[in-house]
Amino acid sequence: MAKPGRPGASKKKRKAVGSGGQGKQALEGRGPTPKAEDRTWHPAGKRKAAQERLESARARHGRQPGRVDAAAKPRPKRSADESELITGRNSVVEALRARIPASTLYLASRLEMDDRVKEIIGAATQRGIPILEVMRPELDRITGPDSVHQGIALKVPPYEYQHPLDLLESVIARGGKPLFVALDGVTDPRNVGAIVRSTAAFGGQGVIVPQRRSAGMTASAWKTSAGAAARIPVAMASNLTQTLKAFKERGVFVLGLDAGGDVMLPGLEFADRPVVLVAGSEGKGLSRLVTETCDAVVSIPISSATESLNAGIAASVALYEVSRLRAEAAG
């Protein structure tokens, strides 16, 4: 007796189906393995790409920065942030000296007078800025729990950013040699303020921040800059990579700062040329697109016991070295 089959099962025999030659193709292999330098993800490939960028920058060594076409420049959107508070006596006095627009000056009651406070009150009175005396707990609430206001705060409108190419054009028009710092994803406003202060100290003409995923000129950045933000303009780039490419087209050398760079900072080859230094974020460093845009990635030699430098310190060290080499070349 035949064994009953599964109900609903087909009794037709299945025809053998071939592989269509796929097995044969698999056996043929994928050809010879590419050389290490031809693989973009391989360290040798990355070194080759960095060398090509460096050679391209050297080929442009004799070029001078050209005139900027203002009509072709997109304008960054203005920030819709609320007013900021500048806190601390040094920061407030520097802001008033630079005639930064301000709407209100807050003074803590029973504030101890010194020369800075007297200058601040005199400048505010002369400019017609309202002065409000408040209790210290109220000033603490206004300025925030982490602020060290020293009994004084100045309310200012949102920071007015310049356009990066406007900033470059103004430096060229004055006959200056461009030296800028661009920030790639720096999210700590204290690092932004420190970089603005270092840029002012070592002869730089401006700082460039991206419109997205980056800290800007907040009250905390103002505070850390110790008033240098009143003298050094900050520009906002709607697209940092495209801005750096526009700078390169105008003869400015783009130098990234990274611990794994291919060029050492001491005796930097391009220091006497127009330069923009690019500092990466506190954790991830330079982004891939920015790294590929750089003419060279510069490494700062440090002790092996130290893992890395933060963006503010790295930018300060690089600015000092560029300033020193330019002074030597001029002398």
Side-chain angles (χ1 to χ4, degrees):
M1 181 176 177
K3 186 177 180 181
R6 180 173 58 84
S10 174
K11 296 182 179 180
K12 295 181 179 180
K13 294 183 179 181
R14 295 183 180 180
K15 295 181 179 180
V17 179
S19 66
Q22 294 179 4
K24 181 179 179 182
Q25 292 175 0
L27 292 174
E28 291 178 355
R30 299 181 181 178
T33 302
K35 295 180 180 179
E37 61 183 18
D38 294 331
R39 285 175 265 172
T40 57
W41 64 90
H42 194 279
K46 293 179 180 179
R47 285 194 295 270
K48 179 182 178 182
Q51 186 63 31
E52 289 175 350
R53 292 196 301 270
L54 185 59
E55 293 298 332
S56 176
R58 285 172 177 155
R60 302 198 324 267
H61 191 68
R63 287 180 55 185
Q64 294 294 328
R67 182 170 179 80
V68 177
D69 182 7
K73 297 175 296 186
R75 295 281 174 179
K77 296 179 181 179
R78 291 182 60 180
S79 173
D81 294 341
E82 297 180 356
S83 298
E84 290 279 353
L85 283 173
I86 300 173
T87 60
R89 302 186 182 191
N90 285 338
S91 298
V92 171
V93 76
E94 287 285 354
L96 290 173
R97 285 173 181 172
R99 302 194 65 82
I100 297 297
S103 57
T104 309
L105 175 65
Y106 295 97
L107 298 178
S109 60
R110 300 178 184 176
L111 181 64
E112 181 181 350
M113 291 289 176
D114 61 13
D115 291 340
R116 292 171 297 174
V117 175
K118 292 177 182 178
E119 182 180 350
I120 288 169
I121 294 174
T125 303
Q126 185 178 8
R127 292 176 52 185
I129 300 173
I131 302 175
L132 297 181
E133 185 175 359
V134 297
M135 300 298 291
R136 280 191 176 269
E138 176 63 11
L139 189 57
D140 292 339
R141 185 191 67 80
I142 293 172
T143 57
D146 298 327
S147 174
V148 182
H149 52 69
Q150 298 176 307
I152 195 162
L154 184 68
K155 188 175 184 180
V156 299
Y159 187 85
E160 289 286 343
Y161 294 97
Q162 293 195 27
H163 192 284
L165 298 184
D166 285 341
L167 196 55
L168 175 61
E169 184 178 33
S170 65
V171 173
I172 295 172
R174 296 194 305 266
K177 185 178 294 183
L179 175 57
F180 300 102
V181 179
L183 309 184
D184 180 20
V186 176
T187 56
D188 188 341
R190 293 170 295 182
N191 270 335
V192 176
I195 289 170
V196 169
R197 187 175 185 181
S198 297
T199 303
F202 297 114
Q205 295 102 354
V207 175
I208 303 169
V209 298
Q211 187 175 352
R212 294 176 294 275
R213 296 183 292 275
S214 175
M217 282 309 299
T218 63
S220 178
W222 260 98
K223 173 74 173 179
T224 309
S225 75
R231 304 186 300 276
I232 294 297
V234 178
M236 179 173 285
S238 56
N239 185 305
L240 182 60
T241 302
Q242 294 302 320
T243 297
L244 295 176
K245 289 180 179 178
F247 271 53
K248 289 174 66 173
E249 291 173 358
R250 289 158 176 84
V252 180
F253 292 91
V254 180
L255 306 178
L257 301 177
D258 190 272
D262 302 282
V263 178
M264 299 301 290
L265 178 65
L268 184 64
E269 179 180 352
F270 304 115
D272 61 336
R273 307 300 300 165
V275 166
V276 54
L277 300 168
V278 188
S281 66
E282 294 84 356
K284 298 180 180 178
L286 297 174
S287 64
R288 178 182 61 83
L289 290 177
V290 168
T291 300
E292 293 173 355
T293 305
C294 291
D295 292 311
V297 179
V298 181
S299 176
I300 300 174
I302 58 176
S303 168
S304 58
T306 304
E307 184 175 337
S308 63
L309 302 175
N310 69 24
I313 295 176
S316 299
V317 173
L319 283 165
Y320 165 76
E321 180 65 7
V322 170
S323 176
R324 184 186 69 81
L325 293 172
R326 286 186 172 186
E328 286 184 358

